[in-house]
Amino acid sequence: MRIAVVGGGIGGLAAAASLRAVGLDDVVVFEQSGTLGEVGAGIQLSPNATRLLLRLGLGDALDAVAVRPTHVEQRRWADGALLATMPLGEGVADAFGAPYLHVHRADLVDLLRTAVPPSCVRLGARVVGATPEGDVTLADGTTERFHAVVGADGIHSAVRGAIGAVDRPRFSGNVAYRGLLPADAVADLGVTHTSSLWMGPDAHLVHYFLRRGDLFNIVAIVADQTWAEESWTAPGDVGALLDAFDGWHPTVRAMLGRLRAVHRWALHDRDPLPAWSAGCVTLLGDACHPMLPYLAQGGAQAIEDAACLAVGLATSSGDVPAALARYEELRRPRTSRVQGGARQASVTYHLHDGPEQAARDAALAAPLASPWGRIAWLYGHDAAA
């Protein structure tokens, strides 16, 4: 079975690695850029993703570059009051059989690349279209045919046209800023190796450490209807970012004030597609279910897609359309639930002080039978099963 994977990001490389792991070795990854890489930002990998990466043999390499946070913390914007906490570290690894990790995106791409032979990857190969029959057309006009084509080419997918899907982005009204600092730049602020979320009116902020604790990653989300560009690399203004967090806790203000440069991008998602597949073509990751980052699941869901798709094709008995239909049937309910949860979080994270905010905080503080009671459905899932 000859398989094309369009896109050499996290989802595409995870797909290629997962396909090879189940014995489907004839895989070609088409990547339009001249190198494999990712932007300078962190990614949170929950156990539903790391269990799959461990099976690809990447456990030791991940440990060499990752941070294992001790807890998730949720705090109030003005006084820093702790609203809720959930244990991670060894507790979450024991509960779900896999760790929770913070990783630099570039490091994750580098690790996934080691699981895919260089001969399988074609750089500088921009795909401009595909057909349900398995034809892939490149920007240079050449066409190749495959038994299966996987569109892992992101929110502006060229492959998506093969299934008749129209790109309808939905601007969330929020803009994200991201920045990195050396760890010693925040050493006096008392921040620990947690996944920390600060919630306030019309904004929230997430921070955590990367690269064995050497880097400090900040993602700040603010309501902004004036700028809707979907670029990960557009420069932002630190002064404007500080203005957006006026009145917030001194720790938040201090860490933002120490940034020397930030990038910003407008946050879009899409409504769930009516179909992911047509004939021999299917979609994966952001190409079919782009989601807001508030549940930290965009990369994790792409890795889940990759594992499920690989098992489906390996057990297909050669009936690729049936295998792709089954993959879609299995994955769509889950990814739609995650998409919906992320949309809801965009509201609950940004509540102004008042009755709704008080009710949210009370719900977060309510005791649970298990410390992971709210999230077990997400972390405990095994996409390959």
Side-chain angles (χ1 to χ4, degrees):
M1 187 183 297
R2 189 164 187 251
I3 304 169
V5 176
V6 182
I10 291 170
L13 291 176
S18 299
L19 288 163
R20 291 182 56 81
V22 296
L24 297 173
D25 296 332
D26 194 356
V27 179
V28 179
V29 178
F30 294 97
E31 169 52 43
Q32 65 179 351
S33 70
T35 59
L36 291 177
E38 265 281 4
V39 296
I43 184 171
Q44 303 194 61
L45 295 174
S46 45
N48 49 301
T50 56
R51 77 174 79 256
L52 305 172
L53 296 174
L54 297 185
R55 289 178 194 157
L56 294 176
L58 300 177
D60 290 342
L62 276 169
D63 280 339
V65 298
V67 169
R68 292 197 181 200
T70 60
H71 292 80
V72 171
E73 294 181 343
Q74 293 174 294
R75 295 185 177 274
R76 263 184 58 79
W77 66 286
D79 58 8
L82 184 63
L83 301 174
T85 185
M86 182 180 73
L88 296 176
E90 293 306 313
V92 79
D94 291 343
F96 296 104
Y100 194 110
L101 302 177
H102 291 154
V103 184
H104 196 291
R105 285 178 174 271
D107 294 341
L108 179 57
V109 167
D110 284 344
L111 295 184
L112 288 168
R113 182 170 54 186
T114 66
V116 181
S119 59
C120 291
V121 180
R122 297 190 196 175
L123 299 175
R126 184 167 69 91
V127 171
V128 296
T131 69
E133 293 73 30
D135 293 322
V136 171
T137 301
L138 301 174
D140 63 7
T142 60
T143 297
E144 296 184 45
R145 175 158 288 194
F146 295 83
H147 296 99
V149 179
V150 181
D153 48 345
I155 56 175
H156 299 297
S157 171
V159 176
R160 192 162 45 213
I163 65 169
V166 178
D167 186 25
R168 292 190 177 92
R170 186 193 72 96
F171 178 43
S172 68
N174 294 324
V175 172
Y177 291 79
R178 59 177 174 83
L180 289 171
L181 287 168
D184 57 12
V186 296
D188 62 317
L189 298 180
V191 290
T192 57
H193 284 204
T194 58
S195 175
S196 296
L197 165 67
W198 298 70
M199 296 182 289
D202 296 326
H204 75 277
L205 180 137
V206 175
H207 60 78
Y208 50 86
F209 287 91
L210 300 172
R211 287 190 174 156
R212 303 294 295 175
D214 292 338
L215 289 177
F216 188 66
N217 186 73
I218 300 173
V219 180
I221 315 292
V222 300
D224 184 350
Q225 294 285 350
T226 66
W227 192 81
E229 183 179 345
E230 279 189 296
S231 170
W232 273 65
T233 57
D237 182 83
V238 175
L241 179 58
L242 274 169
D243 288 345
F245 284 83
D246 185 38
W248 284 56
H249 192 274
T251 298
V252 170
R253 299 274 302 165
M255 63 179 65
L256 293 177
R258 296 174 191 185
L259 290 167
R260 292 294 171 263
V262 291
H263 290 89
R264 67 174 181 171
W265 74 101
L267 295 175
H268 293 72
D269 66 357
R270 275 77 170 159
D271 290 329
L273 291 174
W276 294 3
S277 307
C280 298
V281 176
T282 197
L283 304 174
L284 176 152
D286 283 352
C288 51
H289 51 69
M291 55 190 66
L292 299 172
Y294 306 141
L295 297 185
Q297 282 293 310
Q301 292 305 304
I303 293 167
E304 284 192 16
D305 288 347
C308 181
L309 175 65
V311 173
L313 287 173
T315 57
S316 67
S317 301
D319 189 344
V320 169
L324 300 185
R326 179 64 174 148
Y327 153 73
E328 178 182 340
E329 179 187 12
L330 288 168
R331 293 295 301 155
R332 281 182 63 204
R334 179 167 168 83
T335 59
S336 295
R337 182 179 181 183
V338 178
Q339 279 182 295
R343 280 190 179 181
Q344 180 58 38
S346 70
V347 176
T348 56
Y349 288 0
H350 290 190
L351 294 175
H352 287 247
D353 287 354
E356 287 184 284
Q357 163 266 322
R360 176 201 67 192
D361 295 354
L364 288 173
L368 299 172
S370 162
W372 305 285
R374 295 188 182 93
I375 209 75
W377 70 273
L378 189 56
Y379 291 0
H381 186 72
D382 187 340

